[in-house]
Amino acid sequence: MIKWPPRTVIRRAAGLRTMESALIRTGLGPVAGVDEAGRGACAGPLVVAACVLGPKPHRALEGLDDSKKLTERTREELFPVIQRLAVAWCIIEIPAAEVDRLGVHVANIEGMRRAVAGLDRPPGYVLTDGFRVPGLAAPSLPVIGGDASAACIAAASVLAKVSRDRTMVAMDGEIPGYGFAGHKGYSTAAHTQAMALLGPSREHRMSYANVRAAADGVAGAMYTAAVGAG
C-alpha cells in the first residue's frame, strides 16, 4: 500500500529551489507554484498566476524573491524573463463583481484552480502560497510564506503582481479621479478620500465594508442636499 504523499528528503540547495528540488528527486515533478495579487485591495481584479520552472536553476532568475520584497523595476525586469524561461505559466483575472459574488477567499481558491488548469504542461505537484486548494488534479501543499520559500511560487507572485499593477494603471486612465495607478486599489488614505468624494466606481468590490460605507456616505450626502434644496 502506497502512503501519500511520499516522504521527501530536504537537502541543501541554492536559493529558493530546495523544496522543488526535493519533490523532483522524489519523482513528483514538474512542480507548479501558485500565488495571487490583490486579495487585500478593495478595487480591481484578483489576479492569480501559476508557474512551472525548469528543474535546474537559471542565472537569469537568481533575483527571484517574494514580489513584495522586490522593487517595481526588478519585478518588471523579471516578468518577461520568467515567461520566457518557465516550462509553463498561466495568469488569470477574477473581476471585482465575481469577487463580490463568491467572496474573496472562495474567489482566491477558484482562481488558483483555474490558473493550474490553464498550464500548458500539467504539474506533478503544486505548491500554493498559504492556502490549501482542494480540487486540483495534482497533489498539493500549502506553504506559509511560500513566495519567500519556493522559487516557483516566487515566480508566480511576480507574474501576478506585475499583471495586476498593469491592469490598475490602465484602469486609472479609464476611470480617473481615484488614483488607481498609485495605490493599485488598496485602502490608502488617498483612495479612501476619493471614494468619500466620488463614491465607489464600477471596479470597486461592493462586498467590502469600507466600499459600502463610502457608497452609503455619498448617497446620504446626496439625499441631504436634495432635501435641503427642496
Side-chain angles (χ1 to χ4, degrees), residues 166-226:
R166 291 177 178 178
T167 293
M168 297 307 294
V169 170
M171 189 182 297
D172 193 20
E174 298 169 3
I175 311 174
Y178 294 93
F180 288 137
H183 53 67
K184 307 299 190 295
Y186 288 89
S187 299
T188 64
H191 187 189
T192 300
Q193 185 176 7
M195 280 199 298
L197 179 64
L198 303 173
S201 74
R202 65 178 183 273
E203 293 293 346
H204 278 89
R205 302 175 186 176
M206 296 304 298
S207 58
Y208 282 41
N210 64 325
V211 179
R212 290 198 306 272
D216 292 343
V218 171
M222 291 175 64
Y223 174 78
T224 301

Side-chain angles (χ1 to χ4, degrees), residues 80-226:
V81 177
I82 294 169
Q83 291 182 317
R84 185 175 73 251
L85 296 178
V87 173
W89 58 270
C90 178
I91 303 168
I92 67 101
E93 287 194 357
I94 298 180
E98 189 171 1
V99 173
D100 283 336
R101 180 172 60 83
L102 296 176
V104 67
H105 181 69
V106 174
N108 194 20
I109 299 302
E110 176 61 22
M112 290 184 171
R113 291 195 196 102
R114 294 178 192 175
V116 172
L119 292 169
D120 291 337
R121 182 173 179 182
Y125 206 90
V126 180
L127 299 176
T128 60
D129 185 32
F131 299 99
R132 178 177 174 271
V133 182
L136 295 174
S140 63
L141 178 71
V143 182
I144 303 300
D147 43 9
S149 305
C152 57
I153 300 179
S157 76
V158 171
L159 294 178
K161 173 65 174 169
V162 172
S163 295
R164 187 176 191 279
D165 283 357
R166 291 177 178 178
T167 293
M168 297 307 294
V169 170
M171 189 182 297
D172 193 20
E174 298 169 3
I175 311 174
Y178 294 93
F180 288 137
H183 53 67
K184 307 299 190 295
Y186 288 89
S187 299
T188 64
H191 187 189
T192 300
Q193 185 176 7
M195 280 199 298
L197 179 64
L198 303 173
S201 74
R202 65 178 183 273
E203 293 293 346
H204 278 89
R205 302 175 186 176
M206 296 304 298
S207 58
Y208 282 41
N210 64 325
V211 179
R212 290 198 306 272
D216 292 343
V218 171
M222 291 175 64
Y223 174 78
T224 301

Side-chain angles (χ1 to χ4, degrees), residues 30-58:
V31 181
V34 191
D35 200 8
E36 52 77 25
R39 180 182 174 91
C42 62
L46 178 69
V47 178
V48 185
C51 185
V52 178
L53 298 176
K56 295 182 179 180
H58 198 289

